[in-house]
């Protein structure tokens, strides 16, 4: 597997994956949204961004690669360094494409420009949910014409009335009756068409909901089980192995301590801008002092105890 594949696997589980000496991929969850112009519905997702300032090794990617490839921590570091060197050399010549993650380019100032892959959704709760385009619903406004009818006293037919009634009045009355019947029929036809359109839209939506409910989600490449040695930040007592001006030297010291069997970690940068590396961290002051005395006898007399109040 390529390094890009390992990064892609971790992005489903974590919000930030740092590639040492290259940068960090950061995800932000986005709620479901609707495009009112294209009538498209989008499922909740994770927005993927890149931060070139996150370059220090936090151990997440290295531990995962070591567990997945069944190799040592130091070999995993070498594997990542080789891949990063290849990426940087490729960027000098052409665009760098990382599978399921996105593409990189160098701008005129030599800075990395990242374009994420928008076809992959790293939000696990949205597996199987794709964008959906709904036909626009046209609303028809009906205006009822109110006709005022005048009530007149009926005129009994007679020979005299028949002779006095003009012919055009008879024809106008007949035309009025036909027009009224035609208006009623046209309104009924429009109502029928509108009801059919609404019914079809409801049937289509029901099919989509049924498909989502019956969908079975299968991950073709499940993540291998790994064990991460994570030290809780609530530990107050740290046995310091050294403080380094260069972060690279601190990472080398960390690797040496881990290979010796210590649960070592990088504590971060202190107020003198030095990166501190600890042999072990403890909740108990007595355990920390006992271990410190042992390390001074067997490892280094320069080891000392750092107490942090959180």
């Amino acid at each position: 597997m390529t390094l890009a594949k390992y990064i892609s696997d971790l992005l489903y589980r974590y919000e930030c994956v740092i590639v040492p000496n290259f940068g960090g991929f950061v995800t932000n969850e986005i709620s479901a949204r609707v495009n009112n112009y294209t009538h498209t519905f989008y499922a909740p997702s994770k927005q993927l961004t890149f931060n070139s300032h996150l370059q220090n090794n936090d151990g997440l990617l290295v531990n995962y690669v070591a567990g997945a490839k069944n190799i040592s921590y130091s070999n995993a570091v070498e594997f990542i360094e080789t891949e990063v060197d290849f990426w940087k050399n490729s960027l000098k010549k052409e665009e760098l494409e990382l599978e399921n993650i996105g593409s990189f380019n160098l701008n005129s100032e030599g800075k990395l420009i990242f374009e994420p892959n928008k076809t992959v959704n790293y939000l696990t709760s949205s597996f199987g949910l794709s964008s959906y385009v709904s036909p626009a619903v046209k609303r028809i406004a009906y205006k009822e014409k109110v006709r005022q009818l005048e009530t007149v006293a009926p005129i009994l037919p007679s020979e005299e009335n028949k002779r006095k009634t003009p012919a055009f009045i008879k024809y106008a009355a007949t035309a009025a009756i036909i027009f009224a019947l035609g208006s009623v029929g046209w309104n009924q036809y429009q109502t029928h068409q509108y009801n059919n359109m609404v019914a079809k839209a409801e049937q289509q939506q029901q099919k989509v909901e049924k498909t989502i409910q019956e969908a079975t989600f299968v991950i073709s490449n499940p993540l291998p089980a790994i064990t991460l040695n994570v030290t809780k930040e609530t530990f107050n007592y740290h046995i310091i192995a050294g403080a380094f001006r260069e972060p690279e030297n601190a990472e080398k010291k960390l690797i040496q301590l881990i290979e010796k069997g210590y649960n070592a970690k990088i504590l971060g940068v202190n107020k003198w801008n030095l990166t501190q590396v600890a042999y072990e961290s403890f909740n108990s002051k007595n355990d920390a002092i006992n271990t410190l005395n042992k390390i001074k006898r067997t490892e280094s007399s320069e080891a000392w105890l750092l107490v942090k109040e959180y």
Side-chain angles (χ1 to χ4, degrees):
M1 291 173 61
T2 62
L3 181 59
K5 184 58 180 174
Y6 294 120
I7 298 172
S8 178
D9 290 345
L10 289 173
L11 287 173
Y12 284 105
R13 295 182 176 183
Y14 301 94
E15 295 180 355
C16 179
V17 178
I18 298 177
V19 182
N21 299 321
F22 187 74
F25 295 94
V26 183
T27 62
N28 297 300
E29 187 170 340
I30 301 177
S31 303
R33 62 194 188 281
V34 180
N35 189 321
N36 294 325
Y37 296 98
T38 61
H39 309 289
T40 305
F41 295 82
Y42 297 94
S45 61
K46 277 186 176 181
Q47 182 184 37
L48 183 60
T49 58
F50 179 77
N51 189 335
S52 59
H53 298 289
L54 300 175
Q55 297 200 4
N56 288 336
N57 180 18
D58 63 350
L60 176 63
L61 181 60
V62 178
N63 275 298
Y64 180 72
V65 172
K69 295 175 68 69
N70 195 22
I71 58 178
S72 66
Y73 188 94
S74 58
N75 288 339
V77 171
E78 293 178 2
F79 169 77
I80 295 174
E81 289 177 349
T82 302
E83 193 82 1
V84 169
D85 290 339
F86 173 77
W87 289 355
K88 292 181 177 179
N89 292 330
S90 299
L91 281 169
K92 295 178 182 179
K93 305 174 184 177
E94 57 185 359
E95 179 182 79
L96 174 64
E97 182 75 25
L98 300 184
E99 182 183 2
N100 294 331
I101 297 177
S103 59
F104 286 92
N105 284 294
L106 291 177
N107 62 10
S108 58
E109 299 177 355
K111 295 183 179 180
L112 286 174
I113 304 300
F114 175 63
E115 180 65 27
N117 187 331
K118 297 181 179 179
T119 62
V120 179
N121 187 352
Y122 286 107
L123 188 62
T124 55
S125 60
S126 294
F127 270 134
L129 299 180
S130 58
S131 59
Y132 168 69
V133 179
S134 173
V137 178
K138 296 181 180 179
R139 294 175 174 81
I140 302 175
Y142 293 96
K143 295 182 179 179
E144 295 291 340
K145 294 183 178 179
V146 180
R147 296 183 178 85
Q148 295 180 351
L149 301 179
E150 295 181 358
T151 304
V152 298
I155 301 176
L156 297 177
S158 64
E159 291 299 330
E160 183 179 358
N161 290 334
K162 290 180 180 179
R163 288 194 301 270
K164 293 182 180 179
T165 303
F168 74 88
I169 293 180
K170 297 179 181 180
Y171 295 139
T174 303
I177 294 173
I178 295 175
F179 176 78
L181 293 175
S183 298
V184 173
W186 173 248
N187 289 339
Q188 291 178 348
Y189 171 77
Q190 286 186 321
T191 303
H192 178 71
Q193 290 293 98
Y194 175 80
N195 291 336
N196 285 343
M197 182 175 62
V198 173
K200 289 181 180 179
E202 291 178 350
Q203 290 176 359
Q204 188 174 9
Q205 185 64 29
Q206 290 174 359
K207 289 181 180 179
V208 173
E209 294 176 354
K210 183 178 180 181
T211 301
I212 294 175
Q213 293 173 358
E214 295 177 353
T216 300
F217 306 128
V218 178
I219 302 177
S220 58
N221 184 23
L223 299 178
I226 62 173
T227 301
L228 299 179
N229 295 324
V230 180
T231 303
K232 292 184 178 179
E233 294 295 336
T234 55
F235 290 1
N236 299 334
Y237 305 97
H238 310 276
I239 301 176
I240 303 301
F244 303 88
R245 180 71 60 184
E246 299 296 332
E248 292 80 5
N249 295 333
E251 293 176 1
K252 291 179 181 178
K253 186 64 176 180
L254 175 68
I255 295 173
Q256 293 175 0
L257 297 179
I258 292 176
E259 290 179 345
K260 289 182 178 181
Y262 290 102
N263 189 17
K265 65 176 293 186
I266 293 177
L267 297 180
V269 180
N270 61 18
K271 63 182 180 180
W272 295 284
N273 202 28
L274 299 176
T275 302
Q276 295 177 315
V277 182
Y279 285 97
E280 300 273 355
S281 297
F282 299 89
N283 274 326
S284 171
K285 183 177 181 180
N286 291 334
D287 292 342
I289 294 176
N290 292 334
T291 304
L292 174 62
N293 293 332
K294 180 180 179 182
I295 291 176
K296 283 187 173 183
R297 292 194 306 269
T298 59
E299 288 289 340
S300 172
S301 59
E302 297 180 356
W304 55 281
L305 182 65
L306 172 66
V307 180
K308 282 190 174 183
E309 297 294 339
Y310 295 98

